[in-house]
Amino acid sequence: MYFGSFQDLMGRDRQTGLIKAKNEWVHTTNWDLVIFDEYHFGAWRDSAKELFEGEDEAVKKKEIAAEFNEGLDSFEEELDELGNSEDDFLPITTRAYLYLSGTPFKALATGEFIEEQIFNWTYTDEQRAKAEFARDYPGEWNPYGALPEMRLMTYQMPDELIAVARQGEFDEFDLNAFFDATGSGSTAEFIHKTDVQKWLDIIRGGHFPTQVSALKTGTRPPFPYSDARLLPYMQHSFWFLPNVAACEAMANLLAESQNTFWHDYEILTVAGPQAGIGRNALPPVRDAIRDGNDTKTITLSCGKLTTGVTVKQWASILMLRNLSSPETYFQAAFRVQSPWSIKNPEGDNPSAETVLKPVCFVFDFAPTRALRQIADYGAGLSPETPNPEHALEELVSFLPVLAYDGSNMTQVDAAAILDIAFAGTSATLLARKWESAILVNVDNETLRRIMNSEAAMAAVMNIEGFRALGSAIFETVVNKSEAVKKTKKEKGEALSQAEKRELTAEEKEYKSKRKQIQEKLIKFATRIPAFMYLTDFRENTLQDVITKLEPDLFKAVTGLGVGDFHLLVNLGVFNATHMNQAVFAFRRYEDSSLSYTGIESHEGLTHYGLYDTVVAADEVV
């Protein structure tokens, strides 16, 4: 058994370009199992080109760089300089790999793993186990009892603040623009300093216009630092800001004389090189918090300590930056979900446990973005569920979502989350659901089924772009991938360096060709929304509309005949479950977009047809 860092094992001697001498034994040993922890980083590095495609390339790159610290950027460049390709990912011989991640969304969406390779134990599983144990064994020590329940609270900011930083077609509150700052250290200052000061007043209940509105409506909005029910969980909080300048500007503003309320809290700025690299930034935070009972802290960060770090006293996180990546969002959010308890508090009962943090909170000030993240997370937890609403229902039963609309705080159910998430999305974001690799299956079994059917092979050749690839591409992918797997299994550590290089080249070839097949099938799938938009049938399944009701229209739009499409569906080329989810998103977005303009596109509908199933209309709208 050996524990090692990814950077060290992948590192090369700068002078020779060879594996470090001290690590040679690791590479010559035939291991039984290699485990990758925090694989969302590994998946990002392997599939960087794939993940960073599209208009959000720069944003996502910055988010992931912030999550893993700037050191990874230089490490990536170092690997490139030494000639490491992504197919030379980890030259270690092993019988099996195990990939661990709390946020595997990208790795799943890119089709890197097929269903039988995926095993889940999620937040929902642990909270369900906690509730079931308490029900079945009342009075006994609950092994899940210290795991806090998470609650998401979103806040619609006053119009005067939203006007400062609007963005996008839905005028969403742009947190990055709102908390934009200039300067560094003691000179760092927010560009919209007056408005950020108003925001600080709002979250502690000291903003006069908000107080007047509350009096008029007869409500007292539960802001984080003003509501007595929330204050115990604000004793140690984490504020996730856009960049180093914003962290330093916030520390400076909180220290100003008018902000006496905040002077009770020790402000910890964990940003920039002076804060230390990786976990080196953690000791000062723990030293300031101590046991957490008689101290009060606010930790300011723009990426450090947001993954793989446990500070049990953190009970709340304020999301003060735009995050389109679910990995980054939930890696940060789950920092506050770590248990904090005292076992055997009286010293006379080893089974006794006092839980100091029964719940934890995520506070978000961009409601649409937050609910979109929850919708994506719920779908990611239950990828086998065709109806996203059902996937969300259990999640929100354990992760209550409360939304403040400017006057009232109300709990949001699964249907409302989807309404807000999809109504607040853009056509571009929706289109990405139809560009996901998870919609199509290109594993060896599926490719073999195509190869074994002349009709299926002919059908595939009718899809745009496949003729240029040639029919031999399927045989190349299947045969080479199986040959490489067989050779590795049989020879293991007996492989010579020349054989390893040859296998690496063959791996690179078949992976590239499999990717080409995948891309052509996805390109075909992206034409299906155009077909849905043109057809008037809504209560029938899309499969029936294609094959029975409007076959000519389907061929005109997609270029594929109904018989060919039906054959490929039966062979499992298209993932029906994820097709259902994509159609569901399209129907919901289509209706919300039209109803926004006052048009009831299909009045009187009792059911909605998805891809190969039908759901009641009241489940959708």
Side-chain angles (χ1 to χ4, degrees):
M1 183 177 291
Y2 178 72
F3 289 85
S5 79
F6 179 84
Q7 287 90 332
D8 181 47
L9 292 174
M10 284 295 291
R12 302 291 183 103
D13 186 287
R14 282 192 172 275
Q15 293 182 339
T16 65
L18 300 175
I19 292 168
K20 294 176 183 177
K22 69 183 182 71
N23 289 333
E24 285 184 5
W25 72 275
V26 177
H27 297 266
T28 57
T29 302
N30 185 24
W31 297 89
D32 295 305
L33 177 67
V34 170
I35 301 175
F36 290 98
D37 197 11
E38 304 292 0
Y39 183 65
H40 48 273
F41 159 57
W44 160 66
R45 190 218 176 293
D46 282 353
S47 310
K49 189 181 297 183
E50 180 177 305
L51 297 185
F52 295 150
E53 288 174 348
E55 60 188 9
D56 285 343
E57 176 176 343
V59 175
K60 290 186 178 179
K61 214 162 191 175
K62 285 180 181 176
E63 284 182 19
I64 296 174
E67 181 177 352
F68 295 103
N69 303 306
E70 296 173 358
L72 288 186
D73 287 338
S74 58
F75 175 59
E76 180 81 13
E77 293 168 5
E78 181 181 313
L79 291 182
D80 292 340
E81 288 172 5
L82 295 173
N84 291 59
S85 70
E86 61 185 49
D87 292 297
D88 192 23
F89 172 49
L90 189 65
I92 293 178
T93 307
T94 181
R95 296 178 186 175
Y97 289 107
L98 176 63
Y99 304 90
L100 304 178
S101 175
T103 52
F105 309 112
K106 291 290 188 299
L108 297 181
T110 55
E112 186 175 349
F113 302 96
I114 55 179
E115 288 186 9
E116 54 263 38
Q117 295 176 309
I118 301 168
F119 305 88
N120 289 332
W121 178 260
T122 68
Y123 167 80
T124 303
D125 292 319
E126 73 174 32
Q127 292 297 316
R128 188 192 308 112
K130 176 180 175 180
E132 290 175 352
F133 194 97
R135 182 195 64 207
D136 297 338
Y137 305 99
E140 294 190 23
W141 175 72
N142 188 336
Y144 308 99
L147 294 167
E149 180 184 276
M150 181 177 283
R151 296 176 184 174
L152 172 65
M153 301 181 76
T154 70
Y155 296 85
Q156 183 73 44
M157 289 291 95
D159 290 343
E160 61 180 303
L161 296 190
I162 293 177
V164 172
R166 291 184 186 273
Q167 62 115 22
E169 62 182 293
F170 292 96
D171 285 341
E172 294 183 38
F173 188 37
D174 186 339
L175 292 165
N176 288 5
F178 185 77
F179 290 105
D180 195 13
T182 58
S184 62
S186 60
T187 64
E189 188 173 72
F190 289 113
I191 291 174
H192 306 290
K193 182 178 178 180
T194 300
D195 298 293
V196 175
Q197 179 66 63
K198 290 177 184 177
W199 175 83
L200 285 174
D201 294 339
I202 287 173
I203 65 173
R204 69 174 183 85
H207 185 241
F208 182 72
T210 306
Q211 292 175 327
V212 172
S213 298
L215 288 172
K216 288 179 179 178
T217 58
T219 61
R220 293 193 65 184
F223 289 113
Y225 287 91
S226 67
D227 192 282
R229 294 166 294 180
L230 297 176
L231 279 172
Y233 302 97
M234 308 309 298
Q235 190 169 347
H236 300 286
S237 62
F238 187 99
W239 293 19
F240 198 10
L241 287 147
N243 50 46
V244 175
C247 293
E248 293 174 340
M250 183 64 77
N252 294 338
L253 182 57
L254 292 173
E256 290 187 5
S257 58
Q258 75 275 12
N259 286 315
T260 53
F261 173 86
W262 303 102
H263 296 174
D264 289 343
Y265 294 85
E266 184 172 354
I267 310 302
L268 309 170
T269 305
V270 187
Q274 70 277 6
I277 300 296
R279 296 193 180 190
N280 292 332
L282 186 57
V285 174
R286 287 190 168 150
D287 291 343
I289 292 176
R290 299 197 296 274
D291 65 4
N293 293 313
D294 57 357
T295 56
K296 296 168 75 174
T297 65
I298 293 173
T299 302
L300 308 175
S301 174
C302 59
K304 285 183 171 66
L305 308 185
T306 57
T307 185
V309 169
T310 298
V311 178
K312 60 187 179 181
Q313 292 88 354
W314 283 342
S316 57
I317 181 169
L318 277 66
M319 295 294 192
L320 308 179
R321 59 176 294 174
N322 294 341
L323 292 168
S324 59
S325 161
E327 284 90 345
T328 310
Y329 191 93
F330 285 102
Q331 278 290 328
F334 278 110
R335 292 312 97 208
V336 302
Q337 211 254 331
S338 54
W340 184 20
S341 64
I342 301 173
K343 294 183 178 178
N344 194 8
E346 303 298 330
D348 57 358
N349 183 359
S351 297
E353 183 176 26
T354 298
V355 177
L356 301 178
K357 190 170 69 175
V359 296
C360 58
F361 292 87
V362 178
F363 299 100
D364 203 307
F365 301 88
T368 302
R369 189 279 316 272
L371 297 182
R372 191 182 302 135
Q373 295 282 16
I374 285 288
D376 289 344
Y377 184 62
L381 290 180
S382 305
E384 73 289 346
T385 305
N387 188 336
E389 188 171 321
H390 294 162
L392 263 182
E393 282 173 350
E394 185 176 34
L395 173 63
V396 297
S397 69
F398 294 120
L399 199 165
V401 178
L402 296 98
Y404 175 68
D405 61 5
S407 58
N408 296 291
M409 177 71 82
T410 56
Q411 187 162 343
V412 186
D413 61 17
I417 289 173
L418 288 171
D419 280 339
I420 296 169
F422 285 122
T425 193
S426 68
T428 302
L429 290 174
L430 182 65
R432 286 202 188 119
K433 287 185 175 290
W434 290 94
E435 295 171 354
S436 172
I438 208 165
L439 291 176
V440 299
N441 296 316
V442 291
D443 57 279
N444 282 358
E445 288 302 314
T446 302
L447 298 184
R448 191 179 285 107
R449 287 195 292 270
I450 295 174
M451 290 165 50
N452 293 339
S453 168
E454 289 185 15
M457 188 63 75
V460 168
M461 290 299 115
N462 286 331
I463 295 176
E464 182 184 349
F466 266 104
R467 288 194 182 278
L469 297 179
S471 58
I473 191 172
F474 293 90
E475 189 173 354
T476 300
V477 171
V478 173
N479 291 346
K480 287 206 170 187
S481 63
E482 292 185 347
V484 168
K485 184 178 179 180
K486 182 180 179 182
T487 302
K488 283 186 172 181
K489 185 175 182 181
E490 290 177 351
K491 292 195 172 184
E493 60 187 16
L495 283 167
S496 67
Q497 289 299 320
E499 287 174 321
K500 286 182 179 180
R501 284 194 294 271
E502 184 180 346
L503 286 180
T504 297
E506 291 184 356
E507 279 184 313
K508 188 171 184 177
E509 181 185 359
Y510 79 71
K511 286 179 180 179
S512 173
K513 291 186 181 298
R514 193 191 299 275
K515 183 69 178 171
Q516 288 178 304
I517 295 171
Q518 190 179 62
E519 286 172 349
K520 300 303 179 189
L521 290 172
I522 291 171
K523 188 173 181 180
F524 167 80
T526 59
R527 296 187 176 184
I528 293 178
F531 171 77
M532 285 192 291
Y533 180 76
L534 293 170
T535 180
D536 283 328
F537 292 97
R538 290 294 180 274
E539 294 197 358
N540 308 85
T541 67
L542 183 61
Q543 209 173 79
D544 284 343
V545 176
I546 291 170
T547 58
K548 299 174 185 177
L549 300 175
E550 297 206 58
D552 294 337
L553 176 62
F554 182 75
K555 185 169 185 178
V557 174
T558 66
L560 195 65
V562 169
D564 291 343
F565 177 73
H566 196 58
L567 175 60
L568 295 180
V569 168
N570 289 337
L571 292 177
V573 175
F574 300 102
N575 188 320
T577 297
H578 292 283
M579 281 283 197
N580 276 323
Q581 292 183 355
V583 175
F584 182 96
F586 180 90
R587 301 290 194 218
R588 197 171 201 115
Y589 179 74
E590 182 185 37
D591 275 356
S592 63
S593 298
L594 291 172
S595 61
Y596 179 77
T597 64
I599 300 172
E600 290 296 332
S601 56
H602 300 91
E603 194 171 355
L605 277 183
T606 59
H607 291 81
Y608 272 86
L610 301 186
Y611 175 66
D612 65 353
T613 189
V614 175
V615 298
D618 58 8
E619 291 185 35
V620 182
V621 292

